[in-house]
Amino acid sequence: MTELENSRNGAGLSIGIAVAQFNEIVTARLQEGAVAQLRKYSVANDAITVAHVPGAMELPRIVKQLADSGHFDGIIALGAVIRGETSHYDYVCAETASGLAEVSLHGSVPVMFGVLTTDTLDQAISRAGGKGGNKGADCADGVIEMINLEKQI
Ligand SMILES: Nc1c(NC[C@H](O)[C@H](O)[C@H](O)CO)[nH]c(=O)[nH]c1=O
Ligand SMILES: CC(=O)[C@@H](O)COP(=O)(O)O
């Protein structure tokens, strides 16, 4: 039996991060968590590129351009979609998730889904460096693991 290695060695890797500015109080913390975790795994500071977009709905477009550029080994998409009074939340969540999944599946590099979809601001903050952890840091773990896994196939 062959078991492929699970590695979080980020040395020499180039990572793109797309961050939605909507609910910036949350997404800035997701970004901080992602960058800190990437640096923890030896991704060089000048090998991390951050692109800010207006909202989660704009993430798929920019993530596709980052992925297609050939400049990055992996991409992290970060956002915070918080339910309001109308059904707009449902559409933003669904189309953002669908668009990012399509880029990850059909693109050349792995894309991490780091978009919080919550009912309240407190739930989002909890998952952006609070008791619920940091989804940005989780995505940093995942993108390095996926890059290193795919190198073995
Ligand atoms: N309500 C939230 C949004 N809405 C904005 C959309 O993402 C998009 O920018 C707009 O519809 C224009 O295309 N975005 C979030 O990231 N989070 C929200 O809670
Ligand atoms: C997730 C959203 O788009 C949300 O902020 C919109 O709020 P509302 O449904 O009250 O217009």
Side-chain angles (χ1 to χ4, degrees):
M1 178 183 82
T2 301
E3 187 166 343
L4 301 180
E5 182 189 5
N6 183 305
S7 166
R8 287 186 184 172
N9 179 4
L13 299 183
S14 178
I15 306 296
I17 306 178
V19 185
Q21 291 180 293
F22 206 107
N23 292 318
E24 189 177 12
I25 189 173
V26 177
T27 63
R29 299 178 188 191
L30 294 175
Q31 177 183 329
E32 288 168 13
V35 171
Q37 199 75 351
L38 291 173
R39 299 285 292 125
K40 178 181 171 184
Y41 293 125
S42 303
V43 177
N45 192 54
D46 63 3
I48 301 171
T49 301
V50 178
H52 291 102
V53 296
M57 280 292 277
E58 285 72 50
L59 285 170
R61 180 176 176 83
I62 288 302
V63 165
K64 179 172 177 19
Q65 292 179 28
L66 291 169
D68 292 348
S69 71
H71 297 153
F72 306 102
D73 299 300
I75 311 291
I76 296 171
L78 301 174
V81 187
I82 302 174
R83 191 182 299 276
E85 297 175 348
T86 72
S87 60
H88 195 238
Y89 168 89
D90 302 305
Y91 293 98
V92 172
C93 292
E95 294 309 312
T96 299
S98 174
L100 291 173
E102 182 176 336
V103 175
S104 186
L105 189 59
H106 299 295
S108 57
V109 297
V111 174
M112 294 293 111
F113 182 72
V115 180
L116 298 174
T117 54
T118 66
D119 290 318
T120 67
L121 176 59
D122 284 348
Q123 288 174 343
I125 290 176
S126 171
R127 292 156 177 79
K131 292 181 180 179
N134 190 305
K135 184 68 73 177
D138 296 343
C139 286
D141 294 345
V143 76
I144 293 175
E145 289 176 11
M146 283 298 289
I147 294 166
N148 289 326
L149 175 62
E150 294 182 16
K151 285 180 177 180
Q152 301 172 67
I153 298 175

